[in-house]
Amino acid sequence: MREQLESILQSAQDEILAAADMNQVNELRVKYLGKKGSVTALSKAMGTLSPQERPVVGELLSKVRGQVEKLISDKLQEFQSQLKQEKMKQETIDVTLNSKKLDMGGLHPLTKVYYEVRDIFVKMGFEVLSGPEVEYDKYNFEMLNIPKNHPARDMQDTFYVTEDIVLRTHTSPVQVRTMLSQKPPIRMICPGRTYRTDDVDATHSPIFNQIEGLVIGKNITFAHLKGTINTFLKELYGSDTKTKFRPGYFPFTEPSAEVDATCAMCKGKGCPACKGAGMIEVLGCGMVNPKVLKNCGIDPEEYSGFAFGLGLDRLTNIKYRISDIRYLYENDVRFLSQFR
Amino acid sequence: MIAPTSWLKDYVDIQVDAAQLTDKMVMIGNGVERIEDLAQQYDGVVVGKILSLTKHPDADKLQVCQIDVGSETLQIVTGADNVFEGANVPVATVGCHLPCGMDIKKGKLRGVESLGMLCSGEELNLKEEDYPGAEVYGIMIIQEDVAPGTPLAKVLGVDDTIIEFEIGANRPDCLSILGLAREAGAALGQEVAQPDISFTESGDDIHHYVQVEVQDPDLCPRYIARAITDVVIEPSPAWMQKRLSAAGVRPINNIVDITNFVMLETGQPMHAFDLREITGGKIVVRRAQDGEKLVLLDGKEKEFTSSNLLICDAQKPIGVAGVMGGQDSGIHEDTATVIFEAAKFMYGNIRQTSRALGVATEASMRFSKGTDAVTTKMAMDRALHLVQQLGAGKIVCGEIDVLAEDLTPKVLRVDPNRVNGLIGKEISADTMITLLNQVGIQTQMEEGMLTCQIPSFRGDIEGSADIAEEVARMYGYDNIEAEVMTGEIIGGKLSSYDASVDKIRSLLTCEKYYECISYSFTSQAMMDKLGLGEDDPCRKAVEIINPLGDDKSLLRTTLVPDMLNIVANNLNKKNTEFRLFEINKVFVPEEVPMKDLPKEYPMLCMAAVGKEEDFFTLKGTVEKLFEMLKVPGFKVKAGGAAYFHLGRKAQIFAKNNVSVGEMGEIHPDIMKNFGMKQRVYMAYICLAQLLSCIEENIVFTALPKYPAVDRDMAVIVDVAVPAGEVLDSIIAAGGNKLENARLFDVYEGEQLEAGKKSLAYEMTFRASDRTLTDEEVAHVMDKILTRLTRDFQAVLR
């Protein structure tokens, strides 16, 4: 019987390893381990053995059965894994085909640059405020120390809606509104549309965008103004940016300054964008005129502050080297898609 | 203000070149528009002496000259026939760029080499008054006997550099050579000389010639008159003409040139009358009567109101104060007696008159910005000095000076600590005194205060901040170290509106939308184009009094037409598939004409074009917008504005039926108006409404413990029944056991009766405290079906 078992194991091994497919393996399972299989037949014949032989042969029998079972399951697994490979091979795709994403749209370049500027100031503790585009003459001019028929009105050609209502010529009226409605300390910026009676050409637009800034507090000085503007410009244009403060004139600030920064295009070497100067004018600023503080109910003896204003359109054109301001308002998709 | 440096040098010892001077001027606040070396335009143009002239071998009209230009002899071919051997002519040498725009290159004319060009006056942009013979046809012949090779600029006497300064509205005193000389002196630390105002009177008495009556001293605080007899009108001397030309003023005759010269030099405009034109020998300065008229020097008749100030004689107006003289009142060739006027007119009034009449002159520009009454007198004396210097006439004894202004110098007392407090730097009081004196503000310390005597021409200095600015600009902005702000810390933040708009922008850009920005102007014609009715509320718009054109005369009340224009422009440029949005304000007046500010509402307009687009792609984005913003209750109902397609438009609602906007396909008629053929899908949303519906209170709900039961239900209804309303009924009837319901199929066709459709819904039922039994679910399904039958005559399919 032992010899029989060994010869069954040998033939099972040969046949299973030689099986061509899963069906054959399953047939071999029946042939050896099935109800009428040869291993099963031998186990039924166990009864004919002597009590001494029985345990020895029994052990051998279950070992053979185990081995045959393992041979079968290994072979089956081999076929299954082959099948899986086969199937995946058939399912091969060209991974370089187009993805199914929805194309990106994009922000308008003015918005992109506005976000940059805004983020810098928000990080510096500025609140973002807004004000109306159609504004009282009083807020746009008079309370900013530009009375009716003041020569400074010639600096800003104004659209009038009534004698006392204008399209704001700058975002500075929001300074007035803020000071009238909030108590110091104030740190705010205000972006917005502004209007002047300029005909449209490559460098002029009757509608443009400014960002106004205002800081009011105790012991605020011109040195703080310089510190704030320098920090802003270094954040915007890079830490190696240099600035130049030149005395300037705005009726609502005193002292006033115009600020040049290292040309972002040429890093100060001189290029067409800065007309060879290496520096480019970027903003106007100054200490809030005490008359304006007084007009807005803030005591100039107790508080001081500074204000600044920058032209977003100009900043945008410089940043992206846009040659003609009209592109900004034509909204040609071929233009817009360049700023994704 | 154009300042020839030679003129500035009359008053300040300028040892630096123009570039260095402008740098220093800029750093104390005098902006520079341009610097121009007047000689530079003639670079490369030299005097040449014609040695010989021969006929061109192959061209009848050309001559070949050998010409001595100093360093060499050049062969130049010319077509001119007014040249001769021995003549001195301007020669443009190879490589030079002429004022007329021509570049001179080496060339051959009909085979003969030519190394330059002989120039006409025209090619050099010269007029007869620049050089006699400049306007003669042909080559300009140089009369002077100068060495060949001499630069033409030297022959013309052009050796000046002009600097054009940008003058702020606060510094009208710098609209003058003297004002700029004072600034240059301050910038360079140099003394500034005073102009010579000496003259000798010749007898007689001005009161024999003219009387002056100022009826409105509030508009004319000072009026000075002087008389000059024995006047001979002739051209002014070359030096004066050259100065005027360099400063951009055309020379006319000696008397007029003196008034202009004095205006440029001192900033005080002057006027010269011919005594014969002053009827009754009396000058009256008064407000005009309404409707009074006068023909001005420019030949145009103007009508006045009582807010205009006139200069009149005993009978009639002869000039508009500070703006322009009358046609007949000026200087004539035979004028023998002149009355000079130097006056101060109030800036606000002159500005108003100049604007109202649409007349702006060098004089009105200066008066509009403000002149000072002390300079008025100095300017008159300077003019008289020049009359004497030029021998233009005899100065009659005495002056008439009608003065209504207190000329006592203003004194400001300023605490130096306050100056430092504004600047943020410890500058000593001594330094401040030095700096202030340097800009002409006589300052000393009295009881710890800076005591500053403000010059009459510095009307801009009114308080301590102005003194701080003078100190700061002279100290140098560069020398004030930047400091980081200290003090109370304030958190930077965005308004919730801005934060929401940021989210909208970011969602839309991810949804393939490009952001647009368009102008706020519109017109009634644009609203016609959009097909808006006569009484559409959008027609009531803010009107601009002085628009740039009829098409830009209103502020927009809707973003839709601008978006359609943008879409049309893109289609015209062959952009065929795109999505666009704009977030901007519309302006709604409460009443027209307006009494108060209009309401300003931020709106969102979205447009989608292309073969992949339809109503539902757009609806998808709008719905996502609601989800992202946490606006609950997104719902649409068929309907909307007339500019949408009749059957493809919807009103958009948020929770509680809050209407937030509309969407749809654009009506074919409107498409035609905008010149488009492709279908355009548009959504137009009121952001204020939308954002007011945000509910961002997220509270956790425990995950379900019991299993859900899924059921489908298909019902047959009339095709006109909106599937969304059926869904609403299902949800209402489903009660709290219905967890979710969704439309998954719509069928119309052969298997159904005509005019009917089948709607199939997928529903999920669940209870939070137990597993639902089949009976319970069946009961709810029955309730739903009953409700649908009642609401829509629905039949189970």
Side-chain angles (χ1 to χ4, degrees):
Chain A
M1 209 161 175
R2 181 171 303 184
E3 293 77 37
Q4 257 180 300
L5 271 172
E6 271 166 12
S7 99
I8 287 173
L9 181 60
Q10 189 56 54
S11 73
Q13 191 167 349
D14 293 347
E15 281 185 283
I16 290 168
L17 290 180
D21 57 27
M22 276 175 40
N23 284 341
Q24 282 186 16
V25 179
N26 285 328
E27 279 163 23
L28 290 171
R29 182 202 294 275
V30 175
K31 177 174 171 192
Y32 290 101
L33 305 175
K35 279 180 185 166
K36 293 172 186 166
S38 45
V39 178
T40 316
L42 279 181
S43 66
K44 280 179 184 161
M46 284 281 285
T48 63
L49 295 179
S50 69
Q52 292 84 355
E53 273 182 315
R54 214 175 286 163
V56 183
V57 175
E59 198 181 331
L60 187 65
L61 185 79
S62 82
K63 204 171 145 196
V64 168
R65 177 179 282 274
Q67 277 172 330
V68 173
E69 269 171 359
K70 180 148 191 334
L71 280 167
I72 288 171
S73 77
D74 284 356
K75 192 67 188 175
L76 277 175
Q77 207 167 1
E78 187 189 319
F79 281 124
Q80 262 159 5
S81 131
Q82 254 174 34
L83 265 176
K84 249 189 271 174
Q85 296 286 341
E86 224 36 34
K87 188 170 182 218
M88 285 194 287
K89 233 178 234 168
Q90 281 166 12
E91 286 175 355
T92 300
I93 54 166
D94 177 357
V95 295
T96 63
L97 292 179
N98 292 345
S99 58
K100 288 181 182 169
K101 79 172 165 67
L102 197 55
D103 288 341
M104 279 294 287
L107 294 176
H108 193 280
L110 284 170
T111 305
K112 281 179 82 90
V113 177
Y114 160 56
Y115 278 177
E116 262 185 71
V117 172
R118 187 186 72 180
D119 290 351
I120 296 169
F121 281 109
V122 169
K123 273 186 260 175
M124 288 164 75
F126 284 68
E127 187 184 359
V128 183
L129 300 178
S130 64
E133 293 172 25
V134 184
E135 184 58 282
Y136 297 112
D137 183 285
K138 186 172 65 175
Y139 289 168
N140 191 75
F141 291 123
E142 281 173 51
M143 293 180 73
L144 289 166
N145 193 30
I146 315 172
K148 285 222 155 80
N149 281 316
H150 189 276
R153 291 215 175 191
D154 295 338
M155 292 162 75
Q156 304 182 354
D157 291 320
T158 312
F159 285 113
Y160 283 89
V161 168
T162 73
E163 213 173 294
D164 306 314
I165 298 176
V166 301
L167 305 190
R168 66 175 173 194
T169 55
H170 47 188
T171 40
S172 305
V174 186
Q175 284 188 33
V176 176
R177 286 177 174 273
T178 308
M179 286 190 271
L180 288 174
S181 64
Q182 289 187 21
K183 285 210 157 69
I186 294 168
R187 274 190 202 181
M188 71 88 167
I189 60 162
C190 160
R193 275 195 156 194
T194 51
Y195 300 78
R196 290 188 198 171
T197 58
D198 284 324
D199 279 309
V200 181
D201 66 25
T203 54
H204 292 89
S205 166
I207 298 184
F208 53 102
N209 298 272
Q210 287 190 337
I211 299 175
E212 190 80 9
L214 177 70
V215 170
I216 305 282
K218 286 187 176 155
N219 305 316
I220 298 288
T221 69
F222 190 82
H224 294 139
L225 166 61
K226 280 187 78 173
T228 306
I229 297 298
N230 284 348
T231 308
F232 162 64
L233 290 171
K234 279 174 199 283
E235 287 279 321
L236 187 70
Y237 289 133
S239 55
D240 52 349
T241 301
K242 292 193 177 60
T243 55
K244 185 161 101 176
F245 285 69
R246 293 178 281 115
Y249 169 66
F250 306 105
F252 34 96
T253 52
E254 188 84 18
S256 307
E258 290 185 81
V259 184
D260 300 335
T262 312
C263 176
M265 297 295 104
C266 62
K267 294 286 170 200
K269 289 190 210 81
C271 68
C274 57
K275 299 194 179 99
M279 303 281 276
I280 205 155
E281 189 179 320
V282 286
L283 58 84
C285 59
M287 301 302 293
V288 180
N289 193 317
K291 285 189 197 170
V292 175
L293 291 175
K294 218 177 284 174
N295 287 343
C296 298
I298 290 177
D299 180 3
E301 298 295 323
E302 191 180 352
Y303 293 105
S304 56
F306 60 79
F308 52 88
L310 49 94
L312 188 60
D313 302 58
R314 185 176 151 72
L315 223 55
T316 304
N317 287 351
I318 292 171
K319 180 171 174 87
Y320 296 116
R321 304 182 215 187
I322 298 168
S323 51
D324 189 324
I325 198 169
R326 284 171 288 201
Y327 280 121
L328 294 176
Y329 300 99
E330 272 169 10
N331 300 299
D332 188 319
V333 173
R334 293 167 302 174
F335 171 80
L336 297 173
S337 60
Q338 293 176 31
F339 305 94
R340 280 196 282 202
Chain B
M1 171 76 199
I2 297 172
T5 42
S6 64
W7 205 341
L8 292 175
K9 282 177 181 172
D10 283 359
Y11 297 104
V12 200
D13 183 16
I14 299 172
Q15 298 289 355
V16 296
D17 67 20
Q20 286 168 301
L21 174 65
T22 54
D23 276 353
K24 287 190 183 288
M25 290 289 269
V26 164
M27 289 318 285
I28 65 162
N30 298 283
V32 171
E33 298 262 6
R34 68 187 170 105
I35 307 175
E36 190 183 339
D37 176 357
L38 293 178
Q40 205 170 19
Q41 57 183 321
Y42 304 115
D43 271 1
V45 185
V46 297
V47 177
K49 192 180 189 74
I50 299 178
L51 301 176
S52 69
L53 274 173
T54 48
K55 275 215 157 293
H56 189 290
D58 293 322
D60 287 349
K61 291 191 175 165
L62 296 180
Q63 301 191 79
V64 181
C65 10
Q66 299 301 323
I67 189 157
D68 177 7
V69 294
S71 54
E72 56 186 324
T73 299
L74 298 176
Q75 173 173 293
I76 294 176
V77 179
T78 179
D81 51 13
N82 69 330
V83 289
F84 51 90
E85 282 178 11
N88 278 338
V89 293
V91 179
T93 53
V94 170
C96 89
H97 180 79
L98 289 181
C100 63
M102 200 184 285
D103 288 315
I104 305 303
K105 291 178 196 138
K106 201 189 268 190
K108 277 187 178 173
L109 273 89
R110 292 269 178 117
V112 176
E113 192 168 49
S114 182
L115 295 168
M117 191 178 89
L118 310 188
C119 304
S120 69
E122 193 184 352
E123 283 153 349
L124 295 165
N125 266 6
L126 292 172
K127 296 267 173 281
E128 203 61 30
E129 61 251 33
D130 299 319
Y131 192 84
E135 287 181 33
V136 168
Y137 181 76
I139 301 302
M140 189 171 102
I141 305 296
I142 292 168
Q143 278 108 26
E144 289 87 347
D145 185 20
V146 287
T150 307
L152 179 70
K154 203 164 177 194
V155 176
L156 297 172
V158 177
D159 52 4
D160 216 344
T161 297
I162 60 166
I163 307 172
E164 187 171 355
F165 289 97
E166 227 176 300
I167 309 297
N170 59 330
R171 293 301 302 273
D173 61 307
C174 287
L175 291 167
S176 71
I177 296 298
L178 272 170
L180 289 168
R182 285 191 294 261
E183 287 292 305
L188 300 168
Q190 294 278 354
E191 289 292 317
V192 182
Q194 291 303 312
D196 193 343
I197 51 171
S198 62
F199 57 89
T200 316
E201 295 174 325
S202 63
D204 211 341
D205 180 353
I206 186 165
H207 295 96
H208 298 154
Y209 294 82
V210 72
Q211 259 100 65
V212 174
E213 183 192 343
V214 177
Q215 289 182 1
D216 294 294
D218 57 325
L219 299 184
C220 174
R222 189 169 203 180
Y223 194 102
I224 302 175
R226 276 283 193 166
I228 297 128
T229 59
D230 301 283
V231 171
V232 180
I233 300 297
E234 58 185 5
S236 59
W239 67 265
M240 184 177 270
Q241 292 200 21
K242 208 171 119 185
R243 281 271 161 91
L244 292 173
S245 300
V249 173
R250 194 162 56 93
I252 294 170
N253 61 45
N254 50 356
I255 293 297
V256 174
D257 288 359
I258 286 171
T259 61
N260 283 333
F261 188 91
V262 168
M263 174 180 72
L264 292 173
E265 195 171 65
T266 66
Q268 167 68 54
M270 292 190 61
H271 195 73
F273 296 98
D274 183 326
L275 182 63
R276 289 174 300 179
E277 309 290 351
I278 304 176
T279 310
K282 189 170 180 189
I283 292 173
V284 180
V285 183
R286 60 163 172 84
R287 284 181 162 87
Q289 287 146 16
D290 283 327
E292 218 169 343
K293 288 177 186 167
L294 174 67
V295 179
L296 301 186
L297 265 177
D298 61 5
K300 289 178 186 145
E301 189 181 60
K302 299 286 174 183
E303 191 176 319
F304 306 100
T305 69
S306 60
S307 52
N308 307 131
L309 190 68
L310 297 182
I311 309 297
C312 309
D313 60 17
Q315 293 172 353
K316 59 182 190 307
I318 53 174
V320 186
V323 179
M324 193 179 264
Q327 194 173 35
D328 306 319
S329 72
I331 299 303
H332 308 282
E333 274 177 28
D334 61 346
T335 295
T337 306
V338 165
I339 302 297
F340 268 161
E341 164 200 289
K344 174 176 177 176
F345 301 115
M346 289 312 288
Y347 68 80
N349 180 256
I350 300 299
R351 183 179 184 274
Q352 193 185 351
T353 299
S354 162
R355 295 213 144 202
L357 300 180
V359 179
T361 56
E362 286 279 324
S364 71
M365 184 267 285
R366 285 179 170 77
F367 281 122
S368 295
K369 294 185 190 302
T371 57
D372 85 278
V374 173
T375 304
T376 307
K377 162 90 174 133
M378 187 267 277
M380 176 61 89
D381 293 350
R382 178 68 175 154
L384 298 177
H385 172 83
L386 291 169
V387 166
Q388 194 164 318
Q389 188 183 343
L390 266 56
K394 289 182 180 162
I395 299 157
V396 173
C397 272
E399 84 182 348
I400 295 174
D401 182 358
V402 185
L403 176 65
E405 191 173 291
D406 179 7
L407 299 181
T408 317
K410 186 162 60 177
V411 175
L412 282 180
R413 291 164 56 78
V414 175
D415 183 351
N417 292 323
R418 180 130 176 78
V419 172
N420 282 332
L422 269 177
I423 297 176
K425 169 109 193 173
E426 287 304 314
I427 301 172
S428 73
D430 285 346
T431 307
M432 289 187 196
I433 290 170
T434 310
L435 295 174
L436 289 169
N437 283 327
Q438 213 171 316
V439 287
I441 299 172
Q442 299 305 320
T443 306
Q444 53 203 37
M445 274 310 258
E446 279 176 18
E447 294 157 1
M449 299 288 269
L450 297 167
T451 307
C452 313
Q453 192 170 320
I454 310 303
S456 62
F457 49 80
R458 290 303 302 273
D460 60 308
I461 296 186
E462 297 170 305
S464 54
D466 304 302
I467 294 293
E469 177 167 78
E470 293 302 305
V471 170
R473 76 183 179 108
M474 293 308 297
Y475 187 76
Y477 282 9
D478 280 349
N479 297 323
I480 302 167
E481 291 86 8
E483 274 178 32
V484 174
M485 274 195 283
T486 51
E488 208 166 330
I489 291 174
I490 313 168
K493 64 179 175 215
L494 293 183
S495 65
S496 60
Y497 168 79
D498 283 336
S500 297
V501 169
D502 283 10
K503 283 198 216 163
I504 295 173
R505 284 203 183 101
S506 111
L507 173 81
L508 292 179
T509 51
C510 287
E511 288 276 310
K512 209 181 150 184
Y513 282 81
Y514 283 109
E515 185 185 20
C516 300
I517 295 182
S518 61
Y519 282 170
S520 309
F521 302 126
T522 191
S523 63
Q524 291 295 351
M526 185 58 78
M527 297 192 235
D528 294 342
K529 219 168 152 185
L530 192 62
L532 298 181
E534 288 296 315
D535 49 359
D536 190 290
C538 284
R539 295 275 186 181
K540 202 171 91 179
V542 175
E543 215 167 314
I544 299 166
I545 295 175
N546 53 334
L548 288 178
D550 282 347
D551 58 331
K552 301 185 186 74
S553 60
L554 304 176
L555 289 186
R556 60 183 169 180
T557 50
T558 163
L559 304 186
V560 172
D562 294 291
M563 184 54 89
L564 288 174
N565 271 334
I566 294 170
V567 170
N569 287 339
N570 272 294
L571 289 171
N572 282 338
K573 287 175 182 152
K574 308 288 177 221
N575 302 325
T576 51
E577 301 201 9
F578 50 86
R579 293 176 172 186
L580 302 171
F581 78 98
E582 175 168 14
I583 294 174
N584 232 319
K585 283 176 171 179
V586 296
F587 303 85
V588 181
E590 302 216 328
E591 53 189 333
V592 177
M594 275 176 39
K595 293 214 180 77
D596 209 340
L597 300 187
K599 294 265 183 270
E600 299 185 7
Y601 298 112
M603 305 297 287
L604 164 64
C605 190
M606 297 158 58
V609 180
K611 57 180 187 295
E612 306 284 317
E613 304 291 353
D614 59 29
F615 181 90
F616 298 101
T617 58
L618 181 61
K619 185 179 170 190
T621 306
V622 174
E623 195 169 352
K624 204 181 246 186
L625 198 63
F626 273 60
E627 285 168 17
M628 186 269 312
L629 288 170
K630 305 241 172 284
V631 174
F634 170 78
K635 201 156 95 179
V636 302
K637 272 185 201 157
Y643 51 74
F644 286 119
H645 184 299
L646 195 64
R648 294 184 175 182
K649 59 180 174 183
Q651 292 168 298
I652 307 166
F653 297 91
K655 196 173 141 183
N656 298 329
N657 279 327
V658 178
S659 164
V660 299
E662 297 180 348
M663 59 174 292
E665 184 180 320
I666 297 298
H667 193 289
D669 289 352
I670 307 302
M671 300 292 294
K672 205 170 152 197
N673 292 349
F674 284 85
M676 295 185 276
K677 289 198 183 87
Q678 286 90 329
R679 290 175 190 264
V680 175
Y681 301 92
M682 184 176 281
Y684 186 48
I685 291 169
C686 175
L687 285 183
Q689 289 283 36
L690 179 68
L691 302 183
S692 73
C693 298
I694 291 176
E695 286 182 11
E696 206 165 1
N697 48 339
I698 300 174
V699 179
F700 162 78
T701 314
L703 300 184
K705 290 192 185 115
Y706 298 92
V709 180
D710 294 326
R711 291 281 187 279
D712 291 348
M713 177 187 280
V715 290
I716 295 166
V717 292
D718 283 347
V719 284
V721 171
E725 290 183 18
V726 175
L727 183 63
D728 288 345
S729 288
I730 292 174
I731 290 167
N736 60 4
K737 293 193 186 76
L738 178 65
E739 187 179 74
N740 205 3
R742 190 179 75 88
L743 176 75
F744 72 91
D745 188 44
V746 182
Y747 175 80
E748 275 177 69
E750 290 168 14
Q751 297 174 29
L752 296 177
E753 191 183 323
K756 296 281 181 188
K757 66 180 173 187
S758 156
L759 300 172
Y761 295 86
E762 182 180 81
M763 304 171 203
T764 307
F765 297 91
R766 196 198 301 266
S768 59
D769 54 352
R770 64 187 188 286
T771 303
L772 287 174
T773 62
D774 284 350
E775 291 72 42
E776 281 177 299
V777 173
H779 180 68
V780 184
M781 291 281 283
D782 281 348
K783 261 173 70 183
I784 290 172
L785 185 61
T786 310
R787 174 69 177 264
L788 297 187
T789 309
R790 189 190 82 193
D791 290 355
F792 309 103
Q793 290 79 51
V795 177
L796 193 62
R797 192 175 172 204

